[in-house]
Amino acid sequence: MDYSTDRPIHTAEDDLLGRASFSKQLGKAIYEYNGKDGLVIGLFGKWGTGKTSVINMAENEIIHLSEKDENKPLIMRFAPWNYSDKDNLISLFFQSLKNKIDIQDNEEVKKKIGKALNDYSNAFDVLSTIPVLSTGAIVAKMFAKRLGNKWIQDTDLDKTKEILEKVLIDVNKKIIIVIDDIDRLTNSQIRDIFQLVKQVADFPNVIYVLAMDRDVVRSALTEVHNIDGSEYLEKIIQVPFELPELRKSKLHDIFFAKLGQVINNLPNKVEWDESYWSSVFRNCIEPFIHTLRDVNRVVNTFQFRYSLVYQETSFEDMIAITTLEVLEPELYKWIASNKESVCGGFMPEFLSNNSNSDYRKLYYNEFERLKINPDLALSCVSTIFPVFANVINEHQYGYRPISDVRSRMCVADKGRFELYFMFDLDDIKVSRNIINNCIYEFDETTLRITITGINKQGNITYFIEELKSLVDKIPYTRLDLLASVMLNLQGEFKGEEQKYLFSISAKDKAEYLVYDIMNRLETEKERYGLIRSAVENMDKSTCGVMARIINRTELAYGRLVGDSEKEEDQIISLSNLEELEKIYVVRISSIADSESLLDIDEMNIVFYLWQCLDKDGAKFYLEKLFKNTVNKLRFICGLAGRWNGTNGNGWSFFVKSYSEYISQDEIYNTIQSFDKNKLDEFTEIEQIKLASFVLNHHKGGMERTNEQEAMELVNKWKTEK
């Protein structure tokens, strides 16, 4: 990875911010200054606006202009980072200047200025801690012991200063002293720096260039001096330069260019929606980026984060979340801690009487309390979280609808939310790369193997939901393949998803997916061909789903128990439906002859459709089946339907599904008289169903028995046997 450094530039060729022209003018102005008095220049700009880079380029310009100058200016960078107190700072300053002079080629400069500067510096070292007698007459005890009282008595700071000033005039050597990053010092250090400059600013031929954030320094000076910091600055700074404000368009161009480099360096392609990206940039990125430093910090962080999870996240949302993490951390932390608010909880609109304006005011006040700009926050969050946008009634142009959040791998998708904050890929049960291969690449064999493997891993529900969110992306030529494979494997799918009080099985989800795929097929012929092939190849594992599809189509034509037609559900013609009925009867009869139908999870719908389409064949099957008591009771268990409610869950029996072949009383008596020592001939679920039938019969249909009560009866049977 190639990260953008935050180091200042030195040459105009590296200038991305358009500062080169200003820097050259600044350098030229400093070089051509011919006044003999000292001069203090202030270069003001916010952090990250390129002050150091401007100084570097200005210095290069001075060096360039003075190439043929025999008495070239001396430039010293003074970094006041390590000093113990104000007196030590002054000493450090003069020692740094003396060291710079000592490496000059000009012997006259070294000899004259060096000696005068050394004497003046020593005077400062000596006169340090005793009250003022005359200007600068402060006695340092430690130097008194070292140098003796006579030397101190002979020391005159004013005199040594006059000598230094005369030497500076005689030598006529321009000295440029640069003090950068003053705004990064502590308040007391900022005070000391300005007291230093005030003390030595009037030396002739000496130019000071002080770079700082005006607001930070002004605030520091106001606090430590208890005066107006702006007035104090005006007294020190003789020539102020405000760093030209960076054009937003220029900054944006740099941001886009760096972002493009990150994306182009990824091994796989990245897609984004232009309209949505425009909205995200406008509301979630642009308001927070002000400097090149901001750009580099955001892009560097994004490059690291996105490279880890780019195949499982939305490009637009990841750069938005990264921008907040780097530049607006309080809002970032609020979003990370409020998943239910931004992604949606359990029907929040129905659990509260609050109006949209109430919600908006609630969040506005919360952001204001957290010292987050509430208008920016509401606009930003509503852009990337459509549920939140609905709640506060603030829809941005180009925002992403709720229906797209899963297919686009958005941060608003509950299943992916944590991935944007913790990089926890464990929540991604099936990678988007595998899903895309299923959609675009795999042949039938590979597709079947892959989906079977996903099912065995227990991740089929996740896979189906992902595929369902991407139905519109499936190439038309692959719709039939995907639907047929899903139909053929659907009976093997295991698992269910609990949605509050409701549960949805993987088989149900697969069926909904198949309908979504079939709805994309443009002709009835294509849909019929798909279903017919599946029915012709129907086996014990898939007869349930095929029975449901045929039954649903029957109801769409107002047949069987349907009381009205629904044209939108008539996916095939009536004549073709009748053909499917014949094929279904042949196939289910064949399966019943060779295998037991009692193990089918959806025995109720399979047998119901059979008896509707071939009553004699279904009746003949039952007559043979009922000769065995265990089979008779297992058949009744197969007709049970599961219910869920606030009082738990359990099993119920629809009387009409069996009353034509056996009465309730007969079933009840058969269960009661059955030898409980042979209960192991039934599965545990079947035992619970039998107990539920008995208890429901006792209640006369007035109440339903929950599963816990049925289990208690089963345990009682086992105890009494």
Side-chain angles (χ1 to χ4, degrees):
M1 294 183 184
D2 184 17
Y3 290 100
S4 299
T5 66
D6 201 29
R7 291 194 300 269
I9 63 170
H10 289 80
T11 65
E13 289 73 19
D14 297 326
D15 179 34
L16 297 177
L17 303 180
R19 304 293 201 204
S21 178
F22 171 79
S23 303
K24 286 184 177 182
Q25 292 301 318
L26 177 62
K28 184 180 180 184
I30 294 172
Y31 175 74
E32 293 180 349
Y33 175 70
N34 55 15
K36 297 303 180 183
D37 294 332
L39 181 68
V40 181
I41 296 173
L43 182 62
F44 298 107
K46 296 291 184 181
W47 285 358
T49 54
K51 296 186 294 295
T52 303
S53 297
V54 167
I55 290 173
N56 290 341
M57 289 187 286
E59 181 177 334
N60 283 341
E61 182 65 12
I62 293 171
I63 293 171
H64 170 70
L65 293 172
S66 63
E67 281 180 350
K68 298 180 180 180
D69 192 342
E70 292 182 1
N71 193 17
K72 294 179 173 58
L74 182 151
I75 303 174
M76 182 187 84
R77 297 287 186 104
F78 181 56
W81 298 104
N82 299 306
Y83 71 94
S84 56
D85 53 40
K86 181 179 67 175
D87 298 313
N88 175 256
L89 173 66
I90 295 174
S91 208
L92 178 65
F93 171 78
F94 283 116
Q95 185 60 49
S96 299
L97 184 55
K98 185 176 181 300
N99 291 341
K100 188 72 176 179
I101 289 173
D102 285 345
I103 63 174
Q104 297 293 302
D105 295 333
N106 191 319
E107 292 297 326
E108 181 186 10
V109 170
K110 285 196 288 187
K111 183 178 179 180
K112 291 183 176 181
I113 297 182
K115 183 180 183 309
L117 190 62
N118 192 58
D119 290 345
Y120 188 67
S121 175
N122 286 338
F124 256 109
D125 287 343
V126 172
L127 306 174
S128 61
T129 60
I130 293 182
V132 175
L133 299 176
S134 63
T135 304
I138 304 172
V139 179
K141 295 179 181 178
M142 58 178 288
F143 284 97
K145 292 180 181 179
R146 181 164 63 87
L147 300 174
N149 289 332
K150 185 176 185 307
W151 196 98
I152 297 171
Q153 291 170 1
D154 292 341
T155 298
D156 187 334
L157 189 61
D158 289 336
K159 184 177 180 180
T160 57
K161 182 179 180 182
E162 288 177 7
I163 294 172
L164 177 58
E165 289 174 345
K166 185 175 184 305
V167 169
L168 290 172
I169 293 173
D170 291 344
V171 173
N172 195 29
K173 180 79 168 180
K174 184 177 293 183
I175 299 174
I176 302 167
I177 297 169
V178 177
I179 307 179
D180 195 6
D181 292 326
I182 296 175
D183 43 41
R184 294 191 179 185
L185 299 171
T186 64
N187 287 359
S188 59
Q189 289 175 324
I190 291 174
R191 173 200 61 200
D192 294 344
I193 285 292
F194 276 90
Q195 287 183 344
L196 164 67
V197 174
K198 185 178 180 182
Q199 184 72 39
V200 297
D202 57 347
F203 282 131
N205 288 325
V206 178
I207 300 174
Y208 298 87
V209 179
L210 312 180
M212 71 200 85
D213 181 322
R214 181 192 292 272
D215 293 335
V216 172
V217 172
R218 178 177 57 198
S219 176
L221 293 174
T222 298
E223 182 175 326
V224 296
H225 285 299
N226 197 27
I227 59 172
D228 187 328
S230 295
E231 291 184 3
Y232 191 96
L233 273 176
E234 289 174 3
K235 291 178 180 179
I236 301 293
I237 305 294
Q238 295 163 284
V239 181
F241 282 104
E242 291 288 346
L243 201 58
E245 183 178 352
L246 183 64
R247 288 182 292 113
K248 279 283 189 178
S249 59
K250 185 71 174 177
L251 194 64
H252 295 170
D253 289 343
I254 297 170
F255 177 73
F256 295 144
K258 288 179 176 287
L259 211 53
Q261 290 175 356
V262 172
I263 294 172
N264 290 334
N265 287 334
L266 293 171
N268 295 307
K269 67 177 183 178
V270 174
E271 295 181 355
W272 61 90
D273 179 272
E274 286 291 345
S275 177
Y276 181 58
W277 165 239
S278 176
S279 183
V280 167
F281 179 76
R282 182 176 62 253
N283 298 317
C284 307
I285 300 173
E286 192 272 339
F288 307 105
I289 289 182
H290 304 291
T291 68
L292 181 59
R293 181 168 295 157
D294 292 341
V295 169
N296 286 336
R297 290 176 64 208
V298 169
V299 173
N300 285 342
T301 306
F302 173 76
Q303 181 175 6
F304 175 77
R305 289 169 58 105
Y306 195 53
S307 65
L308 299 176
V309 294
Y310 77 96
Q311 290 184 298
E312 303 298 337
T313 54
S314 157
F315 159 74
E316 303 97 316
D317 287 0
M318 182 57 84
I319 188 63
I321 291 297
T322 302
T323 301
L324 297 181
E325 179 187 17
V326 175
L327 303 178
E328 191 63 40
E330 289 304 315
L331 181 55
Y332 170 84
K333 287 187 283 188
W334 183 88
I335 293 173
S337 303
N338 288 272
K339 178 180 178 180
E340 290 296 310
S341 296
V342 295
C343 294
F346 176 46
M347 297 182 291
E349 294 88 347
F350 296 101
L351 296 179
S352 172
N353 293 322
N354 291 347
S355 66
N356 295 104
S357 60
D358 291 330
Y359 276 118
R360 184 183 182 86
K361 184 177 181 181
L362 173 71
Y363 290 121
Y364 188 98
N365 292 339
E366 185 170 354
F367 291 137
E368 202 167 41
R369 186 170 62 253
L370 294 171
K371 296 183 171 22
I372 302 171
N373 184 312
D375 293 312
L376 282 182
L378 290 174
S379 176
C380 175
V381 178
S382 63
T383 298
I384 55 179
F385 292 99
V387 169
F388 184 84
N390 283 342
V391 169
I392 68 169
N393 196 28
E394 178 159 333
H395 297 285
Q396 304 293 335
Y397 172 75
Y399 91 113
R400 184 154 282 172
I402 296 174
S403 58
D404 281 355
V405 297
R406 180 154 193 154
S407 65
R408 297 285 186 174
M409 302 182 290
C410 296
V411 64
D413 174 24
K414 288 184 180 180
R416 275 185 165 77
F417 180 83
E418 281 80 9
L419 184 57
Y420 282 81
F421 300 92
M422 297 183 294
F423 315 122
D424 185 3
L425 287 168
D426 288 343
D427 287 338
I428 306 302
K429 305 301 182 184
V430 184
S431 75
R432 185 54 69 97
N433 185 51
I434 290 177
I435 293 168
N436 284 339
N437 283 333
C438 289
I439 292 175
Y440 300 106
E441 302 293 339
F442 290 159
D443 58 24
E444 181 176 356
T445 301
T446 307
L447 190 59
R448 290 177 67 93
I449 293 172
T450 301
I451 296 176
T452 299
I454 293 171
N455 183 46
K456 288 180 179 178
Q457 293 166 1
N459 298 325
I460 194 63
T461 297
Y462 180 92
F463 173 78
I464 293 169
E465 289 184 342
E466 287 286 288
L467 203 58
K468 193 173 191 299
S469 72
L470 295 164
V471 165
D472 290 341
K473 304 287 186 182
I474 300 174
Y476 194 86
T477 55
R478 291 181 61 84
L479 291 172
D480 184 81
L481 172 63
L482 281 165
S484 62
V485 170
M486 292 300 294
L487 283 173
N488 290 331
L489 295 178
Q490 185 175 347
E492 302 173 9
F493 294 164
K494 303 295 181 183
E496 64 180 21
E497 183 180 32
Q498 194 72 28
K499 290 285 189 180
Y500 307 111
L501 300 177
F502 315 102
S503 61
I504 306 174
S505 71
K507 294 178 181 178
D508 290 336
K509 287 180 174 289
E511 183 179 341
Y512 304 149
L513 170 61
V514 169
Y515 268 98
D516 285 346
I517 295 175
M518 284 197 296
N519 284 333
R520 280 202 56 204
L521 294 174
E522 296 174 355
T523 67
E524 187 269 347
K525 181 180 179 181
E526 290 174 301
R527 293 190 290 272
Y528 173 65
L530 172 64
I531 300 173
R532 177 177 179 131
S533 175
V535 176
E536 288 176 336
N537 293 287
M538 184 177 73
D539 59 20
K540 186 176 176 178
S541 67
T542 59
C543 58
V545 63
M546 298 319 304
R548 285 204 307 270
I549 290 175
I550 294 173
N551 182 64
R552 181 174 176 176
T553 310
E554 298 278 3
L555 296 176
Y557 281 101
R559 292 154 65 93
L560 304 186
V561 296
D563 55 4
S564 62
E565 292 193 22
K566 296 182 180 179
E567 291 187 10
E568 65 273 16
D569 290 336
Q570 295 173 1
I571 56 177
I572 59 175
S573 67
L574 183 57
S575 60
N576 282 333
L577 173 61
E578 291 171 346
E579 275 302 309
L580 285 182
E581 294 173 352
K582 297 173 185 177
I583 299 171
Y584 177 83
V585 169
V586 171
R587 284 301 301 147
I588 197 64
S589 300
S590 175
I591 295 170
D593 286 342
S594 59
E595 303 178 68
S596 172
L597 299 182
L598 299 178
D599 298 326
I600 299 175
D601 289 338
E602 298 164 294
M603 174 65 186
N604 51 357
I605 185 65
V606 171
F607 185 78
Y608 165 75
L609 187 61
W610 188 7
Q611 69 173 353
C612 288
L613 303 178
D614 179 22
K615 190 171 185 177
D616 291 339
K619 184 177 181 180
F620 178 72
Y621 170 76
L622 285 186
E623 288 175 351
K624 290 193 299 181
L625 190 70
F626 282 6
K627 292 177 180 179
N628 180 287
T629 301
V630 171
N631 286 343
K632 180 191 297 185
L633 295 180
R634 289 192 67 201
F635 173 77
I636 297 301
C637 290
L639 300 182
R642 188 171 182 81
W643 61 267
N644 293 282
T646 55
N647 190 36
N649 50 61
W651 299 93
S652 60
F653 301 82
F654 187 50
V655 177
K656 287 186 177 181
S657 64
Y658 59 80
S659 59
E660 189 173 344
Y661 310 103
I662 187 171
S663 68
Q664 281 183 283
D665 290 338
E666 183 180 350
I667 298 170
Y668 174 79
N669 292 330
T670 301
I671 297 172
Q672 290 290 65
S673 62
F674 184 80
D675 185 355
K676 302 305 186 290
N677 289 305
K678 297 180 180 180
L679 276 177
D680 291 343
E681 295 187 32
F682 301 96
T683 66
E684 290 185 5
I685 291 296
E686 287 174 336
Q687 292 173 27
I688 292 172
K689 290 178 178 179
L690 293 175
S692 297
F693 188 98
V694 170
L695 293 172
N696 286 340
H697 189 72
H698 285 165
K699 296 178 180 180
M702 299 301 293
E703 295 181 52
R704 289 191 293 189
T705 300
N706 63 42
E707 199 164 77
Q708 183 61 38
E709 293 173 311
M711 289 175 65
E712 291 173 2
L713 178 57
V714 171
N715 290 332
K716 182 179 178 182
W717 285 343
K718 291 181 178 180
T719 302
E720 293 178 348
K721 75 180 182 180

